[in-house]
Amino acid sequence: MRWWTAVAVVLAGLLALPAPAAAAERRRVCQVRDGRLTELSGLAATGSGYVVVNDGSDLASHRKIFYLDASCAVVRTVSYPSRPRDTEDLGIARDGTLWVADIGDNDAERGTVALWRLAPGAKAPVLYRLSYPDGPHDAEALLLAPSGTPIIVTKTVGAGGVYVPVGPLAAGRATPLRRVGEVALPVTTTSNPFSFAGRLVITGGAVSPDGRFAVLRTYADAFEFDVSGGDVVAAVTTGRPRPVALPDEPQGESVAYTADGTALLTVSEGSDPAILRYPRPDRPAVAPPPATSAPPGPPSSAGPSPSASAAVAAAGNDRNLLSSGAVAAAAILVAGALALIASVATRRRRRRRPPPT
């Protein structure tokens, strides 16, 4: 997106800003105390626990699909048959298939991105390559439509592009994507470590187990959409979202629904992250999808000692940016958002420089 388009989007969001999102009563579910899990970027809930992935890493011990029990202890891991580039999100389809979104591209240089499909009972995931019709994009959000169609939402300042495959995925060749719209989330005043800039980019997504709701998140908030007739694309591109404040999460890049659909779950990057639960009031429990268990294999061994993670500076008390002069400063704040993305990308590049997928 050109910078002036981003400014226009942000200005529109400021002028139409709703009341600050009410923070749901959150609860710490459990804490992940495994030295391999310091860059959690994807989260999904199963009937017995959770599945998580890190974003790209130099360490082979970190580049796996991790299955956790209800207390957040690692019980199984699944390795990739080849090295992923930058796994940023994941989701579980209605038939229990796990999809890992290898779609991160901080430098916008990848010729293709990828999805990894792990069928129930399979020992290893299968790689499917995808190509954008309009050049590389950085993305961190995957939505799985009830039909099974994967939907990628880019991490573009102000309004994320929404892309779907043009046809069935096939191993061994790249499937073209097509752009089907964009999603511009409301700008809130929710406190987060990145202040205003943290409210402008989409860092994760999920669809509820019954397919009736979809959610996209920023570093500050979650935004839930009603889905009608299984049309997730229409929901996020034309629907009116309900904001759920996720205040002061350290570096929130993941969101998921509980297996019964009654709450949202989040987790941040960093050492010893906690899975947090945000209830969705008055929502009846639904039957979860088929059990998604780890493929057969030996139990996971204890991970290495925790490595140091890059610190994210706390923002302190976040001032309301709708005070006098906020609209006039929108262009500067957009530049700050772009600087934030560049800063996160630089920090990640320092940690590793993965080869192309």
Side-chain angles (χ1 to χ4, degrees):
M1 175 182 292
R2 297 180 184 271
W3 70 267
W4 56 83
T5 306
V7 171
V9 170
V10 174
L11 284 172
L14 286 169
L15 294 173
L17 189 68
E25 181 182 352
R26 73 181 179 190
R27 177 174 65 86
R28 178 176 296 200
V29 177
C30 55
Q31 194 159 7
V32 183
R33 299 185 183 276
D34 190 295
R36 296 166 293 182
L37 300 178
T38 59
E39 302 175 66
L40 293 184
S41 58
L43 168 70
T46 69
S48 59
Y50 313 97
V51 190
V52 294
V53 292
N54 290 302
D55 61 29
S57 176
D58 281 335
L59 301 176
S61 60
H62 293 50
R63 295 194 304 269
K64 298 178 184 291
I65 300 168
F66 293 85
Y67 286 80
L68 315 181
D69 63 16
S71 65
C72 283
V74 177
V75 292
R76 300 279 181 183
T77 64
V78 176
S79 297
Y80 300 94
S82 60
R83 182 171 180 170
R85 179 76 175 268
D86 192 355
T87 53
E88 289 287 358
D89 206 357
L90 56 78
I92 299 175
R94 284 188 165 185
D95 64 357
T97 297
L98 181 73
W99 290 88
V100 180
D102 187 356
I103 56 177
D105 190 8
N106 294 320
D107 296 323
E109 62 182 8
R110 298 177 64 174
T112 63
V113 292
L115 297 174
W116 298 86
R117 178 181 182 271
L118 183 64
K123 294 182 179 180
V126 176
L127 175 67
Y128 298 94
R129 299 180 189 274
L130 303 161
S131 61
Y132 289 104
D134 50 0
H137 295 280
D138 188 25
E140 296 187 1
L142 173 69
L143 301 171
L144 292 177
S147 63
T149 300
I151 302 163
I152 295 173
V153 183
T154 65
K155 193 181 182 181
T156 307
V157 175
V162 182
Y163 295 83
V164 299
V166 299
L169 305 183
R173 64 171 176 82
T175 300
L177 294 165
R178 63 186 178 96
R179 185 182 175 102
V180 291
E182 66 179 24
V183 52
L185 297 176
V187 182
T188 72
T189 58
T190 304
S191 177
N192 70 93
F194 304 113
S195 190
F196 185 84
R199 308 179 189 119
L200 300 181
V201 290
I202 294 170
T203 63
V207 175
S208 64
D210 60 3
R212 295 177 55 211
F213 306 98
V215 64
L216 293 168
R217 72 161 296 165
T218 65
Y219 288 112
D221 305 277
F223 297 88
E224 192 175 47
F225 300 81
D226 293 324
V227 178
S228 177
D231 195 340
V232 175
V233 169
V236 300
T237 56
T238 65
R240 184 172 182 176
R242 292 180 296 276
V244 179
L246 312 174
D248 299 315
E249 293 193 355
Q251 187 173 333
E253 298 196 2
S254 303
V255 67
Y257 282 91
T258 54
D260 64 2
T262 62
L264 297 175
L265 299 170
T266 66
V267 70
S268 289
E269 289 197 11
S271 298
D272 299 334
I275 293 179
L276 303 176
R277 184 180 189 274
Y278 295 83
R280 305 303 293 130
D282 305 320
R283 185 165 299 174
V286 300
T292 301
S293 58
S300 172
S301 59
S305 59
S307 58
S309 297
V312 178
N317 294 325
D318 192 19
R319 293 179 176 84
N320 188 336
L321 291 175
L322 291 182
S323 58
S324 177
V327 173
I332 297 174
L333 293 170
V334 168
L338 295 170
L340 162 65
I341 295 173
S343 175
V344 172
T346 299
R347 186 171 68 249
R348 288 179 174 174
R349 286 197 299 270
R350 287 172 180 168
R351 289 200 296 255
R352 77 274 177 182
R353 172 67 71 173
T357 300

